[in-house]
Amino acid sequence: MTTLLRRMALGLCGAMLMLLANACNKEPEPCSDIEQLKINQLQVIGSHNSYRIRTYEPILAALINLNQLIPDFFNAEELDYTHVPITEQLGQFGMRALELDIYTDPNGGLFYRMGNELVPEPIESGIAVLQEPGFKILHLPDLDYLTHHYTLKDALQTLKAWSEANPTHLPIFVQLETKTDGVNDYLEYPGVAIPLPFTPESADLLDAEFKSVFGESLDRVITPDRLRGNYATLNEAARQGAWQTIAQARGKFFFILDGNYDFYIQSHPSFSGRVLFGFAPPRSTECAFIIANDSKGSIDSIKQWVSEGYIVRSRADAGTVEARSGDYRHDGSSLCKWRTHHIYRLLPTRPTRRHR
């Protein structure tokens, strides 16, 4: 992303933050008159690929030179953007939703290699944590791998530390896309990493990683069981308004899987006993969160879903296209007045107040 575009994007975030900060007459403490609103009455804004750093310059330059010969997925312009560190997104720009791409690496070392023969440089990363077992964070192995956090555990520790230093923050919604694609899914290339599928064993390891950071009690995490309460399913709880109030949710996190979550709910119907939610089909037993990336084409459905009590994630920009053109048609303005690069937005049932 050019410096001008990046400044424009962050400027919009800053304007949004100013509106939030002014919502209660600039009082530093939470406003008591909104504390009993439910969290599905909130709008929040966030970033997509929140961990990502702009593609390594020599590889980006090579992609630009090969732009006409390689699949659209490797469009260099769509990779030409970066994000400031997550703590800066949360603190300076008021992001309350983040997105992380995770790969499973139970034995360690699967993504230790970084780079490829597109550039004549060593391909071993030299990054010790990539040799350790655990979930890794990157956009695409071997090609688009620069990140503020190489491991999920590191990202979670950073989030927890920021939360402890800012204990009255609004709940933070973290989307985790379970990725299994590699370079060979788009272009035959020798020697690249072959990502592993997510399995029920991956699910248990995933929960264990969250508990290793947040503790067995998960005090800072609102889990599916805590939303469901005495209701039979998450769908019933969401539609009956069982969401936590703002007061109850301050200082806490929601974690939501993006993608096929069958591996995660085997022997755990409706995410029972699990740490994470999932974006689920509307009115299915697992549904509390819905993903609808096409905010313009899905606007009528989004209005219906939020009226039923669900929380909906949508986007106003993809691949930096709208950010570069100034196209605001996908901003969902009838439900949310803020727009910015790679927007992640949770749409409210009743947009009554916005508060940081």
Side-chain angles (χ1 to χ4, degrees):
M1 177 181 286
T2 66
T3 300
L4 176 60
L5 281 170
R6 185 168 180 271
R7 287 177 178 172
M8 289 173 62
L10 294 181
L12 287 167
C13 290
M16 179 277 297
L17 178 56
M18 180 178 67
L19 287 172
L20 291 173
N22 288 338
C24 292
N25 299 320
K26 300 182 180 179
E27 294 178 10
E29 295 300 320
C31 302
S32 60
D33 62 334
I34 72 166
E35 292 302 295
Q36 296 311 306
L37 291 176
K38 297 294 184 74
I39 59 170
N40 65 321
Q41 294 174 267
L42 290 174
Q43 293 173 331
V44 303
I45 193 171
S47 58
H48 185 76
N49 293 338
S50 309
Y51 59 88
R52 189 179 178 276
I53 297 173
R54 184 175 181 264
T55 308
Y56 182 51
E57 184 62 42
I59 290 180
L60 188 62
L63 293 175
I64 291 172
N65 291 333
L66 297 171
N67 208 37
Q68 302 301 316
L69 304 175
I70 56 180
D72 290 343
F73 181 85
F74 301 108
N75 185 307
E77 187 173 81
E78 293 187 8
L79 297 175
D80 186 15
Y81 71 92
T82 197
H83 282 304
V84 297
I86 284 174
T87 51
E88 190 173 339
Q89 294 180 43
L90 294 170
Q92 184 174 349
F93 298 109
M95 301 293 99
R96 290 298 177 265
L98 303 169
E99 191 260 359
L100 306 174
D101 292 333
I102 61 172
Y103 286 84
T104 183
D105 185 16
N107 300 313
L110 182 59
F111 306 108
Y112 184 70
R113 163 192 170 124
M114 287 190 170
N116 52 52
E117 288 75 7
L118 283 175
V119 293
E121 296 183 14
I123 60 175
E124 290 196 352
S125 67
I127 299 170
V129 293
L130 293 176
Q131 295 281 35
E132 299 173 2
F135 297 89
K136 306 304 190 296
I137 295 178
L138 64 159
H139 194 226
L140 187 70
D142 299 290
L143 188 74
D144 193 35
Y145 47 78
L146 294 183
T147 170
H148 289 291
H149 302 278
Y150 287 108
T151 68
L152 175 60
K153 179 175 283 190
D154 180 53
L156 295 179
Q157 289 170 334
T158 299
L159 289 172
K160 181 174 180 281
W162 186 90
S163 179
E164 290 173 339
N166 300 272
T168 63
H169 66 77
L170 284 177
I172 298 170
F173 301 84
V174 183
Q175 171 186 350
L176 294 105
E177 183 176 352
T178 51
K179 299 193 76 170
T180 59
D181 58 329
V183 170
N184 276 354
D185 288 282
Y186 308 95
L187 183 71
E188 287 192 16
Y189 208 92
V192 295
I194 306 299
L196 300 172
F198 283 78
T199 65
E201 291 73 23
S202 306
D204 293 338
L205 291 171
L206 192 57
D207 281 358
E209 194 139 306
F210 277 86
K211 291 177 180 179
S212 74
V213 174
F214 289 96
E216 286 291 329
S217 63
L218 296 169
D219 290 340
R220 290 186 174 270
V221 180
I222 297 179
T223 63
D225 288 342
R226 286 176 176 148
L227 172 60
R228 182 171 38 248
N230 294 325
Y231 290 98
T233 66
L234 288 175
N235 177 67
E236 186 179 356
R239 298 187 72 180
Q240 292 298 319
W243 294 102
Q244 284 74 14
T245 64
I246 291 177
Q248 293 169 332
R250 285 192 180 276
K252 294 182 172 60
F253 294 87
F254 285 87
F255 295 99
I256 309 106
L257 287 174
D258 177 7
N260 188 326
Y261 52 75
D262 288 347
F263 78 96
Y264 193 69
I265 61 171
Q266 288 190 26
S267 304
H268 294 266
S270 196
F271 297 96
S272 61
R274 287 300 194 191
V275 178
L276 292 81
F277 293 80
F279 289 113
R283 305 176 192 91
S284 64
T285 59
E286 299 91 10
C287 188
F289 292 89
I290 297 173
I291 191 167
N293 285 331
D294 183 1
S295 56
K296 183 171 181 284
S298 303
I299 190 65
D300 291 336
S301 295
I302 290 172
K303 289 180 178 179
Q304 178 62 37
W305 293 329
V306 296
S307 73
E308 293 179 26
Y310 299 117
I311 290 179
V312 178
R313 182 267 200 193
S314 191
R315 287 180 71 177
D317 182 28
T320 76
V321 173
E322 288 86 354
R324 293 174 188 278
S325 67
D327 180 358
Y328 298 141
R329 289 176 297 171
H330 291 266
D331 71 350
S333 58
S334 64
L335 292 173
C336 182
K337 298 181 184 303
W338 302 310
R339 44 193 179 264
T340 187
H341 168 65
H342 275 257
I343 188 172
Y344 177 126
R345 186 168 52 251
L346 299 167
L347 300 171
T349 53
R350 297 192 302 276
T352 52
R353 291 283 187 98
R354 291 100 178 175
H355 184 58
R356 188 178 176 188

